[in-house]
Every structure is written in C-alpha cells, then in structure tokens.
Amino acid sequence: MNIGLILVLIGGLILTIGDVFMKQWSLNNNWSTFILGMFIWVIGLICLAFSFKSKNIAVASLIFSLSNVVFLTLLSWLYYKEPLTTYQILGMILGTSAIIFLEQ
C-alpha cells in the first residue's frame, strides 16, 4: 500500500467526520459546529492534495469520494441505526471493488 492511497483513505475518513459535524449543525444550527466541520473538511482535502504527489488526480479524487461514501454509509448504519437497503449494500460493495480495481 503506497502513501498516496493511505492519504486518500485517511482524507476520506476525515471528510466523513466533517460530514457528521455538518449534519449536527444542520440539526441544531450551532455555528461553532459548522466552523469545526469546515475545519475538518479542509484537513481531509489537504490529505487529498498531498496524495496528488504520488497518485493520478482523477484516481485519487475518485477513491477519496468513494471512501467517504462507504464510510458514511457504514457510520449511518452503525451509529445512527439507519437501515441499509439491498441496493445500498450492493453500492458499497461496488464502491469498494472500484477502489480495489483503481489501485491495480
């Protein structure tokens, strides 16, 4: 596993954490939560930007987005107890498969 992939996956996970803060902001309109969410998003994007040094920009961006979606789906299922449909599970499998294929 190369450093570019590690940075992209960490960035996707950090972006997911920022998404959670933005969701909290949307529910309670607390502006400090909004600012924290934006700050966390920027850190995730910094990881993405540094991954461009060793990874193709299109591949890195796609893996970044796919990892964020997979992490968010798992988080919504595990933490928020939101049910997953068969199509959502299939989409996560396809997204994970895409990441694996893009790394070959």
Side-chain angles (χ1 to χ4, degrees):
M1 190 177 289
N2 67 29
I3 189 70
L5 177 62
I6 293 168
L7 283 171
V8 168
L9 293 176
I10 289 172
L13 181 59
I14 292 170
L15 190 71
T16 301
I17 295 166
D19 289 341
V20 171
F21 279 95
M22 289 304 190
K23 175 66 175 174
Q24 288 303 115
W25 167 75
S26 74
L27 295 173
N28 61 29
N29 206 29
N30 181 342
W31 284 95
S32 62
T33 308
F34 175 81
I35 292 167
L36 183 58
M38 291 296 289
F39 179 74
I40 293 169
W41 273 352
V42 169
I43 293 170
L45 290 171
I46 289 169
C47 290
L48 175 64
F50 274 98
S51 76
F52 294 160
K53 290 179 173 257
S54 61
K55 213 159 213 22
N56 176 299
I57 186 173
V59 172
S61 296
L62 184 58
I63 293 172
F64 180 76
S65 298
L66 287 171
S67 64
N68 176 246
V69 170
V70 169
F71 291 141
L72 277 173
T73 305
L74 288 172
L75 180 73
S76 69
W77 177 61
L78 293 170
Y79 183 74
Y80 293 108
K81 306 295 186 213
E82 297 175 348
L84 294 177
T85 66
T86 303
Y87 286 118
Q88 289 168 330
I89 293 168
L90 181 60
M92 281 186 27
I93 292 168
L94 289 172
T96 304
S97 299
I99 291 170
I100 292 167
F101 284 123
L102 288 168
E103 271 308 297
Q104 299 307 317

